């Protein structure tokens, strides 16, 4: 009976650890995600600027290209955030789990 209570407490503690580390990872991943988003946006706009300098009716093309560049970058924001947050979360979780395991051994 005591073993079941201990296992339930351990599962609850593990879930709290995962959720806490996920919240921490999301908050810490906002800056690198914003930097990546900004870099991709600037890259897209630079491509549009370069393209418009090589095409004759450049104003119309630049407008459409700029809009397409922003739309494309916006569509990747969730994916960018995910791939930055996931390794951060795993690193936090595994570090805390290892620390918790070492504490139990002592």
């Amino acid at each position: 009976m005591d073993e079941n209570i201990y296992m339930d407490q351990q599962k609850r503690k593990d879930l709290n650890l995962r959720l806490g580390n996920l919240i921490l990872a999301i908050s810490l991943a906002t800056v690198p995600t914003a930097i990546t988003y900004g870099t991709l946006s600037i890259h897209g706009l630079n491509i549009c600027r370069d393209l418009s300098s090589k095409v004759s009716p450049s104003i119309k093309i630049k407008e459409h290209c700029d809009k397409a560049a922003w739309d494309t970058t916006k569509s990747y924001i969730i994916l960018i955030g995910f791939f930055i947050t996931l390794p951060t979360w795993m690193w936090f979780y595994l570090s805390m789990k290892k620390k918790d395991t070492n504490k139990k051994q002592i």
Side-chain angles (χ1 to χ4, degrees):
M1 183 75 168
D2 288 337
E3 191 173 308
N4 286 338
I5 293 171
Y6 176 75
M7 292 300 286
D8 289 341
Q9 287 176 342
Q10 192 62 30
K11 285 180 184 179
R12 180 73 177 158
K13 187 175 181 182
D14 193 51
L15 178 64
N16 288 341
L17 182 64
R18 286 181 189 201
L19 289 176
N21 285 330
L22 180 60
I23 292 167
L24 181 62
I26 288 170
S27 65
L28 290 175
T30 55
V31 171
T33 300
I35 290 169
T36 305
Y37 180 77
T39 302
L40 288 176
S41 299
I42 291 169
H43 176 69
L45 296 175
N46 283 338
I47 290 172
C48 293
R49 185 179 43 91
D50 190 44
L51 177 65
S52 70
S53 69
K54 295 178 180 178
V55 178
S56 172
S58 64
I59 300 292
K60 200 102 165 143
I61 288 176
K62 182 152 178 17
E63 283 178 18
H64 291 296
C65 186
D66 285 349
K67 183 176 178 349
W70 279 110
D71 290 345
T72 302
T73 304
K74 275 192 263 180
S75 68
Y76 283 103
I77 192 71
I78 300 296
L79 198 59
I80 293 167
F82 176 75
F83 281 111
I84 290 173
T85 302
L86 186 65
T88 307
W89 172 72
M90 284 303 295
W91 181 74
F92 281 134
Y93 175 71
L94 293 175
S95 296
M96 295 300 285
K97 188 78 168 165
K98 184 178 177 183
K99 187 187 230 182
D100 192 39
T101 305
N102 287 343
K103 194 185 294 181
K104 284 180 186 174
Q105 290 176 353
I106 295 177

